[in-house]
């Protein structure tokens, strides 16, 4: 309740000394421009064009590291005619070593992976880590594990955004003691209702019916919330706590 109240008050009052939550630079996107011949992955502070964007994320410099991990493992380009191909760190689209069609298959794999909590890439890195462990290369294994942790943190952020954007109602409750239960009805990144009820009155089917009839029906004609930094903060708090 305190966290929710704090979010609501920050959004309403916008205190002058609360610089962290006012700083848009803390929010970044992973950008893939599929309108160019050989797309690459980059970090963007704003949605500037019709490229594909993932986010926004509140990860600052960590997002640059994650993009580097993805580019490195899939060997995608980072700029025109660099030396990455000579170092076996790129498949050479700029030198037309790989066809546009084959390169786009890789890009589509990355997009699918970003939409699927990076499971494919995490599996690849896990196998590499186990291979290094079997060779007793523990320092390399530790570096790979650090990459896995970063990717999982990105996946957690993306899951929160996806859950909020689905805009499906969530009913959550907490048993406060033997007599009282606190219920919450959440939709998107908005708290629709919170109420204290007696344990003896807690009948789940009746509660769901009441929510559908009295709460959700009244919300049908309300416009969807704008996904801004306050929306993301609220979603991060609510969905992280619920999880």
């Amino acid at each position: 309740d305190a966290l929710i109240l704090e979010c609501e008050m920050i959004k309403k009052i916008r205190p002058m000394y609360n610089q962290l939550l006012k700083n848009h630079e803390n929010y970044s996107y992973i950008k893939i421009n599929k309108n160019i011949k050989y797309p690459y992955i980059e970090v963007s502070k704003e949605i500037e064009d019709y490229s594909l964007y993932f986010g926004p994320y509140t990860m600052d410099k960590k997002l640059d590291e994650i993009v580097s991990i993805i580019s490195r493992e899939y060997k995608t380009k980072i700029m025109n005619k660099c030396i990455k191909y000579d170092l076996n760190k790129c498949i050479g689209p700029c030198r037309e070593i790989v066809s546009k069609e084959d390169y786009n298959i890789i890009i589509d794999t990355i997009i699918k992976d970003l939409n699927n909590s990076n499971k494919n890439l995490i599996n690849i890195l896990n196998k590499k880590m186990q291979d290094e462990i079997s060779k007793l290369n523990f320092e390399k294994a530790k570096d790979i594990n650090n990459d896995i942790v970063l990717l999982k943190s990105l996946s957690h952020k993306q899951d929160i955004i996806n859950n909020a954007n689905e805009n499906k109602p969530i009913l959550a409750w907490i048993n406060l003691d033997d007599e009282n239960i606190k219920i919450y009805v959440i939709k998107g990144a908005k708290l629709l209702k919170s109420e204290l009820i007696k344990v003896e009155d807690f009948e789940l089917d009746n509660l769901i019916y009441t929510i559908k009839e009295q709460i959700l029906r009244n919300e049908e004609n309300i416009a969807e919330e704008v996904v801004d930094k306050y929306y993301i903060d609220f979603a991060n708090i609510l969905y992280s706590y619920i999880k």
Side-chain angles (χ1 to χ4, degrees):
D1 285 343
L3 289 170
I4 290 169
L5 179 60
E6 183 180 6
C7 271
E8 290 174 344
M9 290 297 99
I10 288 171
K11 183 175 182 179
K12 181 178 180 180
I13 300 171
R14 302 194 179 190
M16 63 182 295
Y17 294 112
N18 196 319
Q19 293 300 315
L20 183 61
L21 290 178
K22 288 182 178 180
N23 188 358
H24 287 276
E25 292 182 0
N26 289 329
Y27 290 78
S28 301
Y29 301 84
I30 291 178
K31 174 183 175 181
I32 301 177
N33 185 356
K34 291 204 73 180
N35 298 316
I36 59 178
K37 185 176 181 180
Y38 293 110
Y40 55 94
I41 310 163
E42 61 181 315
V43 175
S44 176
K45 292 293 185 184
E46 303 288 343
I47 295 178
E48 304 165 318
D49 50 33
Y50 292 101
S51 299
L52 186 60
Y53 290 87
F54 295 87
Y57 303 109
T58 54
M59 303 183 74
D60 294 332
K61 293 181 180 178
K62 287 184 179 180
L63 201 59
D64 291 310
E65 294 180 47
I66 289 168
V67 166
S68 295
I69 293 167
I70 296 170
S71 299
R72 181 193 71 213
E73 294 300 321
Y74 284 104
K75 296 185 177 181
T76 56
K77 64 174 277 191
I78 57 170
M79 62 182 76
N80 289 328
K81 296 185 180 178
C82 62
I83 62 169
K84 290 278 187 180
Y85 175 74
D86 301 301
L87 298 174
N88 195 30
K89 293 183 178 180
C90 178
I91 54 177
C94 298
R95 306 186 190 196
E96 299 192 354
I97 306 295
V98 62
S99 69
K100 178 183 176 182
E101 290 74 19
D102 289 341
Y103 186 83
N104 278 328
I105 289 173
I106 296 170
I107 294 296
D108 288 339
T109 301
I110 293 171
I111 293 169
K112 183 179 179 182
D113 208 21
L114 283 168
N115 280 318
N116 195 33
S117 301
N118 290 304
K119 290 179 181 177
N120 181 58
L121 185 51
I122 289 171
N123 287 335
I124 291 171
L125 291 175
N126 268 319
K127 289 176 183 177
K128 287 187 175 183
M129 182 175 68
Q130 293 303 321
D131 185 49
E132 295 298 342
I133 290 172
S134 67
K135 296 175 182 177
L136 305 183
N137 295 328
F138 298 118
E139 289 298 324
K140 285 186 178 180
K142 182 181 177 182
D143 290 340
I144 295 171
N145 185 62
N146 291 338
D147 291 345
I148 293 171
V149 170
L150 269 176
L151 288 169
K152 284 184 176 179
S153 67
L154 179 77
S155 300
H156 176 64
K157 297 282 187 183
Q158 187 64 48
D159 287 343
I160 288 172
I161 294 167
N162 291 343
N163 287 334
N165 285 342
E166 281 182 2
N167 219 28
K168 292 180 179 178
I170 294 173
L171 168 62
W173 64 87
I174 300 170
N175 293 315
L176 299 180
D177 50 43
D178 293 336
E179 297 182 356
N180 298 295
I181 293 175
K182 187 69 178 286
I183 66 161
Y184 300 87
V185 183
I186 300 157
K187 191 176 182 184
K190 185 178 181 182
L191 180 67
L192 301 183
K193 183 180 182 64
S194 64
E195 184 179 333
L196 192 67
I197 63 174
K198 295 293 182 183
V199 171
E200 58 194 37
D201 298 328
F202 184 79
E203 175 56 50
L204 188 58
D205 290 339
N206 291 339
L207 186 58
I208 291 172
Y209 176 79
T210 302
I211 289 167
K212 286 181 177 178
E213 290 298 308
Q214 296 181 9
I215 301 172
L216 298 181
R217 180 172 290 180
N218 294 332
E219 290 290 319
E220 288 178 358
N221 297 323
I222 296 177
E224 291 186 8
E225 290 185 274
V226 176
V227 181
D228 59 10
K229 64 191 185 75
Y230 296 103
Y231 180 100
I232 299 300
D233 286 333
F234 206 64
N236 271 312
I237 289 171
L238 286 177
Y239 289 88
S240 294
Y241 185 81
I242 290 170
K243 186 173 182 178

